[in-house]
Structures are given as structure tokens and as C-alpha cells.
Amino acid sequence: MRNSNRQWILKKRPVGDIKQGDLELVEQPIPVPGPGQFLIRTLYLSLDPTNRIWMSDMEQYMPPVQIGDVMRGGTLGVIEQSNNPDYKPGEIVNGIAGWQEYSVAGGAQKMAKGPAPLPAYMSVLGMTGATAYFGLLDLGKPQPGETVVVSAAAGAVGSIVGQIAKLKGCRVVGIAGSDEKCRHLVKDFGFDACINYKKENIRAALKRECPNGIDVDFENAGGDILDAILEQINMKARIVLCGMISGYNDKQPRPGPSLTNILMKRARIEGFIIIDYFPRLGEFLAEMSKWVAEGKIKYDTTVVKGIENSLSALNMLFTGGNTGKLLVQVSEE
Ligand SMILES: NC(=O)c1ccc[n+]([C@@H]2O[C@H](COP(=O)([O-])OP(=O)(O)OC[C@H]3O[C@@H](n4cnc5c(N)ncnc54)[C@H](OP(=O)(O)O)[C@@H]3O)[C@@H](O)[C@H]2O)c1
């Protein structure tokens, strides 16, 4: 056992790319477990794109790491000493012990040693595998024969997304940053195609590889890649906004609507066209007529007289000259 606990402390919030000095490696005494506690030696530390988010004070799904605190990180560790009869030395536990060699806890999730090597429980059988599984199946709802596109496709989440989509009978097109990654995904992981976004024109390549359009986008990259994908989606496509790593090091928010907030708040953006509801107009009329008759719904109309005024009246919609529904009265009732 080492005689000190090396830990990474967040010294300042990175601006742009993470730089030397934003975090500092310090040595502290190994913590001593108190009554009911146990000492964990970290075996594996998970490094995730979201670490960059946690270092910032942007809108996010957990409180940011505070300056001066040990950097947060998912871990798998082994119990070294224990003052808790429920936790025995040698047992493996996972948690968020952070970027440090040792930590103490009073409770932790135990991990039964399964048939897979330990790192698998931090990837395909851990958080990134679960992200791929639930994100794709619950939100993406891939159907046999559909086309699924996944960005950061050779990464921890993306590589599993693509393979699950294949198991569901989809055409799977990955987007990754090198020919080697692309070759690997097609040859070893069964992707139908993979686009090297650093080399190819992404729009043209998507057109070529998704001849029937895109039904599911599992979005890990955001930015230009997301833009290109959105241009080629099909009716009722599902966009799983899982991550937008291309923007994590941005110094300024990008122009345009803040999709980050959509992601962090698990909000939904969904296209809507009323013609899809024409078969249900009867339902609407029955309820709305009643509300209007009972005075529960009020309505305004702005009526412009004379068909010759149609064009100038149309402009009222853009100047705000109307209140409520704008109509032209073409002839007397
Ligand atoms: N919503 C959730 O609960 C959740 C959970 C886990 C992860 N995530 C998100 O899922 C995404 C993938 O995470 P991961 O853990 O699996 O990481 P990962 O994909 O294993 O690693 C990140 C990869 O992103 C690619 N990348 C980096 N900058 C890029 C850019 N500007 N444009 C396109 N690709 C870029 C790089 O591969 P290339 O060589 O291909 O560029 C890099 O290897 C991230 O956006 C992450 O935030 C979300």
C-alpha cells in the first residue's frame, strides 16, 4: 500500500481546453476509516466527456465540482480495511470516489465479480453501456429496417449504440474521427458504414450512406455534425440528444438556440403539424364548442373588410397589427 493519497484538485475553471494548472496533483495522508467506515483503494477511474462539464459552472445536471475539491469521477475500487461488518476487505465497490487513490465511505454499491474483466463493468456493463442501451431503446425506439446514425461512434457509448441498433435490425452509420476507427467499426463491430468526419464532407457522405434518410440520430457530437444530420432526417425521426462533445471546450455559447439546456433538462423538442390530427377534429370540436358556449374559452378576431386589402392586411401578422385571428371579410354575411 502507498503511504500517501495522490489526488487531483480542481484549482480553477478551465477556459476553453483544459490546461495544466486547472487541476493540481497533490499528496495527502491516506484517510483513516472511522467507525462504520471502510477504506477503498481505487482500481479504475472513469474518464468521461462530462468531466469537462463538471469542471465548469455551466447549467448542468449535477452541481459543478467546487474549486479546491477533489475532481469528481466514477470509480471502481477494492476495500482495503473495514470497520463495517457489511463490507469486507477484498470486496469490489463502485461509486464516485473521484480522482484519487484512496477514499473512505460508510456504504457503497458492491459489485459481484462477474465473468467479464473488471474494466467491462465501467464500460459496456457500466454507465456508458447503460447510456447506449436506454438512450437508444427508450428514446430512439429503433425499428427493423430503419437507419440509425451515431456520432462519436468509436467511443464508449457510440460503439455500443451502433451494435445494439444492428441487433434491432437497423442500418447503422457511424461517424468517427479517423479511417482506422471507421474500419474497425465496420469490420469488427458490424456497422454498415462509417464516415470519417475529419476527412469527408459530412453532408455528402450522409447522403451516400443513408439513401433512405435518417430515422434515429444518437447524438454524441452536436455542432456541425448535428446540423448535417438534421438536414437529412425522415418523418417522425427520433433525435436522442445524449451529448454534444464538440462544444464542451467552447469559450462562448454558440449562436443559435441552446440545445444544451434541452439536454440538461431532459426536455423534448418535437415537430408538430396539425394536418396529422385531421382525423381527430371531431374530438376537438365537441370539446371546444362546449367550452366556447360556456364562456370558458374566449376569442378575438381582427376583421379587415374588402378583398382588395388582403395583401396589406397580411402584413399585420408580421407587424403585430392583429389581435387574435386575422380575417378578411370579402362580402357581407
Ligand atoms: N446523457 C448521458 O447520460 C451521457 C452519458 C454518457 C456520455 N454522454 C455523452 O456521450 C458522448 C460520448 O461519451 P463517451 O463517454 O462515450 O466518450 P467517447 O465517445 O468514448 O469519447 C469521446 C469521443 O468524442 C469524439 N469527439 C471529440 N470531439 C469531437 C468533435 N468536435 N466532433 C465529433 N466528435 C468528437 C472523439 O472521437 P473521434 O475520433 O470520433 O472524434 C472522442 O474519442 C459525449 O457527448 C458524452 O457527454 C452522455
Side-chain angles (χ1 to χ4, degrees):
M1 191 158 119
R2 288 182 51 85
N3 53 15
S4 70
N5 182 22
R6 284 180 298 170
Q7 43 183 220
W8 282 97
I9 305 294
L10 183 65
K11 298 296 284 185
K12 48 182 193 276
R13 305 214 177 276
V15 177
D17 295 346
I18 304 166
K19 290 178 220 39
Q20 290 290 338
D22 291 341
L23 288 102
E24 189 185 13
L25 186 65
V26 301
E27 291 205 22
Q28 290 288 330
I30 293 173
V32 179
Q37 290 189 319
F38 46 90
L39 177 70
I40 305 165
R41 174 168 54 86
T42 304
L43 294 173
Y44 291 103
L45 165 68
S46 175
L47 293 183
D48 299 279
T50 198
N51 293 166
R52 178 64 185 83
I53 295 173
W54 294 342
M55 289 176 193
S56 77
D57 53 9
M58 67 183 276
E59 178 70 44
Q60 50 193 285
Y61 57 94
M62 280 171 97
V65 175
Q66 295 304 303
I67 304 294
D69 281 359
V70 174
M71 180 57 206
R72 186 187 292 140
T75 51
L76 197 68
V78 59
I79 297 178
E80 291 271 316
Q81 298 166 12
S82 179
N83 299 329
N84 185 324
D86 296 332
Y87 292 88
K88 308 213 168 22
E91 286 182 325
I92 304 287
V93 288
N94 56 26
I96 309 181
W99 292 26
Q100 57 182 341
E101 290 173 303
Y102 293 95
S103 57
V104 289
Q109 197 187 346
K110 288 191 200 180
M111 215 202 67
K113 273 188 191 149
L118 277 185
Y121 297 95
M122 297 201 78
S123 59
V124 63
L125 299 174
M127 223 37 84
T128 49
T131 302
Y133 178 87
F134 289 114
L136 180 68
L137 297 182
D138 237 45
L139 278 73
K141 298 186 171 43
Q143 305 300 312
E146 288 190 328
T147 298
V148 175
V149 170
V150 53
S151 48
V157 173
S159 59
I160 308 303
V161 167
Q163 293 176 84
I164 300 174
K166 280 308 300 175
L167 289 175
K168 295 292 171 186
C170 299
R171 172 171 177 79
V172 175
V173 178
I175 300 174
S178 75
D179 286 346
E180 200 184 331
K181 285 184 178 183
C182 277
R183 250 193 312 274
H184 171 58
L185 290 176
V186 171
K187 189 165 150 274
D188 305 320
F189 283 11
F191 283 47
D192 294 288
C194 180
I195 297 164
N196 177 351
Y197 72 93
K198 291 190 178 160
K199 228 170 85 174
E200 285 208 76
N201 175 302
I202 183 86
R203 284 173 174 77
L206 281 170
K207 209 153 249 148
R208 183 187 69 229
E209 300 301 350
C210 308
N212 300 324
I214 298 165
D215 300 294
V216 179
D217 169 36
F218 196 102
E219 191 56 47
N220 288 323
D224 297 342
I225 289 179
L226 174 57
D227 260 2
I229 289 170
L230 290 181
E231 286 171 15
Q232 298 186 37
I233 53 175
N234 288 334
M235 280 287 282
K236 300 286 177 189
R238 282 82 66 202
I239 317 297
V240 183
L241 205 53
C242 175
M244 293 183 287
I245 194 171
S246 67
Y248 292 177
N249 285 335
D250 283 355
K251 293 184 182 161
Q252 310 277 351
R254 293 190 187 188
S258 168
L259 290 179
T260 302
N261 223 21
I262 301 292
L263 195 167
M264 296 301 170
K265 301 278 172 62
R266 292 75 138 177
R268 182 188 301 197
I269 294 185
E270 194 164 337
F272 167 77
I273 303 284
I274 185 56
I275 57 176
D276 298 347
Y277 287 85
F278 282 3
R280 291 177 56 189
L281 284 180
E283 261 172 68
F284 147 77
L285 263 182
E287 189 142 43
M288 188 63 86
S289 307
K290 199 159 143 278
W291 286 336
V292 171
E294 292 168 354
K296 290 179 176 163
I297 296 277
K298 301 182 174 57
Y299 62 100
D300 292 313
T301 39
T302 301
V303 181
V304 176
K305 288 197 173 189
I307 195 166
E308 67 281 10
N309 295 318
S310 302
L311 197 55
S312 57
L314 181 64
N315 256 331
M316 294 166 80
L317 296 174
F318 303 96
T319 60
N322 65 311
T323 301
K325 178 64 197 161
L326 175 65
L327 297 174
V328 172
Q329 185 169 12
V330 178
S331 60
E332 293 300 319
E333 284 190 23

